[in-house]
Amino acid sequence: MYSIAIHGGAGTILKSQLTADMEKAYSGSLFAALQAGERILKEGGAALDAVTAAVKLLEDDPLFNAGKGSVFTFNEKHEMDASIMNGANRACGAVAGVSNVKNPVLLARMVMEQTEHVLLSGEGAEELAHEKGLVFEPDSYFFSEFRHRQWKQVHQSGTTSLDHLDEKKFGTVGAVALDDQGNLAAATSTGGMTNKKYNRIGDTPLIGSGTYANNETCAVSCTGHGEFFIRQVTAYDISCLMEYRGLSLSEACTLVVKNKLVELGGEGGVIAVDRKGNIEMVFNSEGMYRGRAGSNLPAEVAIYG
């Protein structure tokens, strides 16, 4: 038995704001990432490999605010964050504020598997990537006219924006999975906030806030206004509610996303899978780019609420 879920960000995503062509493009990209992860699970592969493959594909897609599609910072640069966690032994790795690394999720996994550390940042993380031969890309690879136009709009106002200025979208990508061996895994990646200053870091690279996996409970990947997810320790909170209060995955996700986050003023959503293969994709925003599949569940993607 296996299960997998992916997300490509949440927020004010309305059918009236997406053209038919854009909707088709987003759905196609989500489906491709979902299939990449599911293919590994179908063949008896590891949940860790499945979430890595799904997130890597989303990082390579300019439609999403991660990797190639990352938004611009105040200084017109790109600063990317990513994390990954193995539910079997709770090993994890994360990177924050890295530039020019083509796939931050691969670097996060490298931190987990090839160092004694959990979280590396900036130039130090990039140094590791160079040492291990990860692919770097020039600034031009990460440039898109769409993202630059967003940046110019916000830059002139001097404020920080989420992902899309007009649509209020929280741009993050992520995946969670359960494999045939009963192991859970989660991974998350983001380009952060448009026009952000001071090397701001959100919840994505913080284990327990944006990403968490524990074979005894669940695997979680978050997307939303990161500061609130950090304050709520959202991903770990869902696991804790299952472990200590005996809540189901559905009950835990609903309580955290629909109640606890809302009380703080936090907007966004989570994808999660438990050790029985149950999948939840819960959000308190207008929509969330998402998809799910399993050994007993046909692959499907969705965008709106």
Side-chain angles (χ1 to χ4, degrees):
M1 180 183 69
Y2 68 82
S3 296
I4 184 170
I6 64 168
H7 72 75
T12 308
I13 305 163
L14 303 172
K15 199 168 181 65
S16 60
Q17 293 173 335
L18 285 182
T19 65
D21 285 345
M22 284 299 290
E23 185 176 325
K24 185 178 179 182
Y26 274 110
S27 295
S29 293
L30 288 168
F31 201 76
L34 187 64
Q35 282 188 311
E38 187 186 17
R39 195 175 303 118
I40 289 168
L41 297 171
K42 264 184 181 176
E43 295 169 358
L48 203 59
D49 293 333
V51 298
T52 302
V55 170
K56 180 180 179 295
L57 217 59
L58 292 168
E59 287 178 338
D60 291 341
D61 194 318
L63 287 175
F64 302 98
N65 178 15
K68 184 176 176 65
S70 293
V71 296
F72 287 88
T73 68
F74 179 81
N75 295 322
E76 210 174 347
K77 302 291 184 184
H78 299 95
E79 293 174 1
M80 300 172 285
D81 309 327
S83 62
I84 192 165
M85 188 163 184
N86 183 354
N89 58 2
R90 274 167 277 177
C92 47
V95 293
V98 298
S99 299
N100 301 103
V101 178
K102 183 180 182 183
N103 293 111
V105 71
L106 297 184
L107 182 52
R109 183 161 177 178
M110 197 163 276
V111 173
M112 177 180 74
E113 294 180 334
Q114 300 188 38
T115 80
E116 59 185 336
H117 309 300
V118 168
L119 175 60
L120 299 182
S121 69
E123 292 178 0
E126 292 161 20
E127 184 182 345
L128 175 69
H130 279 295
E131 285 180 6
K132 300 296 184 181
L134 280 187
V135 176
F136 279 72
E137 295 288 356
D139 289 344
S140 58
Y141 171 83
F142 299 92
F143 181 91
S144 80
E145 191 55 51
F146 169 61
R147 295 292 189 209
H148 199 249
R149 191 166 63 247
Q150 286 176 352
W151 173 77
K152 282 197 286 191
Q153 279 182 283
V154 185
H155 191 70
Q156 289 163 1
S157 71
T159 60
T160 300
S161 173
L162 298 168
D163 177 342
H164 294 225
L165 185 65
D166 300 322
E167 300 131 49
K168 195 184 174 187
K169 177 179 168 288
F170 305 91
T172 314
V173 304
V176 294
L178 170 75
D179 62 32
D180 277 339
Q181 290 74 48
N183 293 318
L184 291 162
T188 315
S189 181
T190 187
M193 284 181 160
T194 299
N195 206 43
K196 72 186 180 82
K197 293 182 180 180
Y198 316 123
N199 302 116
R200 174 265 183 189
I201 294 167
D203 64 308
T204 292
L206 302 184
I207 301 300
S209 290
T211 304
Y212 191 73
N214 181 344
N215 274 11
E216 297 304 310
T217 53
C218 61
V220 184
S221 175
C222 304
T223 175
H225 196 149
E227 279 70 12
F228 295 98
F229 281 69
I230 293 169
R231 288 165 60 189
Q232 186 55 48
V233 200
T234 298
Y236 184 57
D237 197 20
I238 290 169
S239 175
C240 281
L241 287 166
M242 296 177 68
E243 184 175 1
Y244 301 126
R245 281 185 52 186
L247 269 60
S248 68
L249 182 69
S250 175
E251 290 169 336
C253 289
T254 300
L255 176 59
V256 171
V257 176
K258 301 280 193 179
N259 295 88
K260 289 187 168 190
L261 275 172
V262 171
E263 286 169 9
L264 281 180
E267 186 180 348
V270 305
I271 55 170
V273 59
D274 67 16
R275 62 181 184 170
K276 297 176 182 176
N278 296 307
I279 295 172
E280 291 295 327
M281 301 186 291
V282 181
F283 49 98
N284 60 33
S285 50
E286 295 286 350
M288 181 167 76
Y289 297 107
R290 62 201 187 273
R292 64 180 182 177
S295 44
N296 300 311
L297 182 70
E300 58 181 13
V301 299
I303 297 175
Y304 312 109

